[in-house]
Amino acid sequence: MQVSVGDEMAKKRAGRVLSIPAIEFRQGSGRRLYSFAIDGKLLHSFCTVSRVSRQGTETLTGYQRPEVAAHISQIRDYLESESPILPNAIVVAFDGTVRFRPHQGIPKTAYSRQGTLDIPLGPFVDETLKPGWIVDGQQRAAAMRDARVDSFPVCVVGFVTDGLEEQRQQFILVNATKPLPKGLIYELLPSTEGKLPVALQKRRHPAELVERLNFDEYSPLKGMIRTPTNGKGLIADNSMLQMLANSLTDGILYRYDDIEDQLAILKAFWTAVATVFASDWGLPPKRSRLLHGAGVVALGFVMDTVAERVGKSRQPVSSHFQQALRELAPHCRWSNGTWDFGGDNQLKWNEVQNVPRHIQMLASHLLVSLRRVAVQK
């Protein structure tokens, strides 16, 4: 009598069995998959994670990345919030010791049937004897394991294979899928309620300001910020978000809690930019660096500096900004000529790129020029 690999492994795993209601369904050329719900805190009782490593200096084993502590911490905080939801399924590769028992007399379809999935629970001598490997959802599984909650049901989709190669292939296919564009995520943030991961929570307020600047009736930037739903905009949303984040952290916008006050300052400043640099306003970044990423972020520091001069007792208005920008204009080379950043640092107007070094050079040049004009007055 022939003994299967699964039968041999089962002998090594004498112990308890977790029997759980499941749906078996077929995909492709007869491949069977199993979908079921389970308390996420039980996942590690029958699943392990095969991390990428090398045996000696040559052989690559495993396929998962190491746990990312910061990401797991964010998910855990979310799970401990008031009404969390994790709708995406954890994907698990099972070996041949897992058994599906179909229920008799229950309606089924041409591609699915209901039954019970029997999963060995050990005790296991070591992690390698566990019947399941997490192919997708390692961070979520770790967060559920560590979260200070009694339980958290989650959906699992599993498939059976004894081969590491197929597990690795499925891991690559699942994780190679193109994620949502960040711009789309940021555009959704203003209308998203509830608790979000810390990184997205920090982006929510700047994203709301971008939305208002882009769609308010009397905004000088109306329709000019390029987002996934406004592909004709000239200013990259990420550049505007960066400018806003800088000011909200260390600039004039930090002073004000009310979004209407913040918007009043932003609209006043960009109205002044449009007025003083009228010949460059509305030109695409290829023809002028005014609305280019480097220009937008650098001008944000100008806004903060001018507002600081106005003083804490007054809110800056467009005339304050216009006066300063007119004094600054002779030192600008948005669409022709060469920027003189001092020393050997000279760049033609169209050589300025949206990279940290160029942004820093441009911002420093504008701020130094402002100070020199102020001293000469």
Side-chain angles (χ1 to χ4, degrees):
M1 174 179 166
Q2 187 176 5
V3 179
S4 69
V5 173
D7 290 334
E8 290 182 344
M9 293 295 289
K11 291 179 181 178
K12 299 178 181 179
R13 298 175 176 160
R16 297 173 300 139
V17 172
L18 174 65
S19 297
I20 190 164
I23 295 176
E24 179 190 71
F25 59 100
R26 293 192 297 276
Q27 283 183 339
S29 57
R31 290 302 305 269
R32 287 178 167 80
L33 292 90
Y34 305 96
S35 178
F36 57 93
I38 191 172
D39 183 355
K41 287 191 171 292
L42 292 177
L43 280 171
H44 287 87
S45 65
F46 60 85
C47 287
T48 187
V49 176
S50 182
R51 295 182 176 86
V52 174
S53 60
R54 290 191 180 274
Q55 295 179 348
T57 58
E58 296 182 0
T59 306
L60 183 70
T61 61
Y63 52 85
Q64 261 287 25
R65 61 192 174 199
E67 293 182 355
V68 182
H71 188 200
I72 292 173
S73 178
Q74 290 179 6
I75 301 173
R76 186 184 66 241
D77 290 344
Y78 171 66
L79 292 175
E80 294 171 355
S81 65
E82 186 175 348
S83 55
I85 179 174
L86 289 181
N88 292 347
I90 305 292
V91 180
V92 174
F94 288 114
D95 65 23
T97 62
V98 171
R99 296 282 187 265
F100 179 78
R101 294 181 284 115
H103 293 169
Q104 304 300 322
I106 295 180
K108 59 183 180 179
T109 70
Y111 46 83
S112 67
R113 56 181 179 171
Q114 300 178 50
T116 298
L117 194 66
D118 293 329
I119 306 172
L121 286 181
F124 305 117
V125 178
D126 58 55
E127 287 282 306
T128 63
L129 292 177
K130 289 183 177 180
W133 294 270
I134 298 177
V135 173
D136 182 53
Q138 176 191 3
Q139 319 297 339
R140 283 169 284 155
M144 286 184 282
R145 177 195 62 204
D146 299 339
R148 290 173 296 182
V149 295
D150 293 333
S151 65
F152 193 86
V154 68
C155 181
V156 175
V157 173
F159 61 94
V160 175
T161 175
D162 282 314
L164 177 63
E165 183 59 37
E166 183 174 3
Q167 297 165 23
R168 184 178 291 137
Q169 177 192 31
Q170 292 301 321
F171 172 73
I172 292 172
L173 290 174
V174 167
N175 289 279
T177 303
K178 188 176 181 180
L180 283 173
K182 284 188 176 180
L184 179 56
I185 294 175
Y186 298 152
E187 195 168 3
L188 292 170
L189 286 178
S191 58
T192 303
E193 301 296 334
K195 187 172 181 179
L196 293 169
V198 175
L200 291 180
Q201 193 75 25
K202 291 180 179 178
R203 286 277 189 169
R204 177 183 271 164
H205 188 61
E208 187 174 0
L209 288 170
V210 165
E211 182 179 64
R212 292 287 302 276
L213 289 171
N214 215 14
F215 296 104
D216 276 10
E217 185 62 31
Y218 298 106
S219 169
L221 294 172
K222 187 172 188 289
M224 295 184 67
I225 304 173
R226 187 171 66 253
T227 67
T229 61
N230 182 39
K232 295 182 180 180
L234 296 175
I235 304 172
D237 57 354
N238 201 49
S239 299
M240 186 59 66
L241 285 166
Q242 184 60 57
M243 186 275 287
L244 294 169
N246 292 339
S247 187
L248 286 165
T249 303
D250 298 305
I252 182 61
L253 298 184
Y254 177 77
R255 276 196 221 159
Y256 298 91
D257 295 325
D258 191 284
I259 189 172
E260 299 302 330
D261 290 333
Q262 295 172 342
L263 284 167
I265 294 170
L266 289 165
K267 291 175 181 179
F269 175 72
W270 287 103
T271 294
V273 173
T275 301
V276 175
F277 300 111
S279 61
D280 288 282
W281 188 258
L283 295 180
K286 288 184 178 180
R287 293 178 57 193
S288 170
R289 288 308 195 245
L290 182 69
L291 301 181
H292 180 270
V296 168
V297 176
L299 282 170
F301 293 112
V302 173
M303 177 186 73
D304 292 333
T305 301
V306 175
E308 188 67 29
R309 289 182 182 177
V310 173
K312 294 183 179 180
S313 61
R314 292 188 296 168
Q315 183 169 309
V317 296
S318 188
S319 59
H320 294 126
F321 293 124
Q322 286 188 43
Q323 181 181 345
L325 291 174
R326 286 195 180 97
E327 296 169 349
L328 189 61
H331 305 277
C332 296
R333 303 291 182 267
W334 298 118
S335 55
N336 60 74
T338 300
W339 292 93
D340 186 358
F341 296 133
D344 296 328
N345 293 323
Q346 294 184 335
L347 289 176
K348 292 181 180 179
W349 74 269
N350 57 355
E351 291 177 341
V352 175
Q353 302 300 317
N354 190 22
V355 295
R357 180 172 175 269
H358 286 189
I359 294 172
Q360 183 178 14
M361 290 167 59
L362 179 57
S364 296
H365 170 76
L366 296 177
L367 297 182
V368 168
S369 298
L370 271 179
R371 285 196 292 270
R372 286 175 178 169
V373 170
V375 170
Q376 292 170 1
K377 291 175 64 175

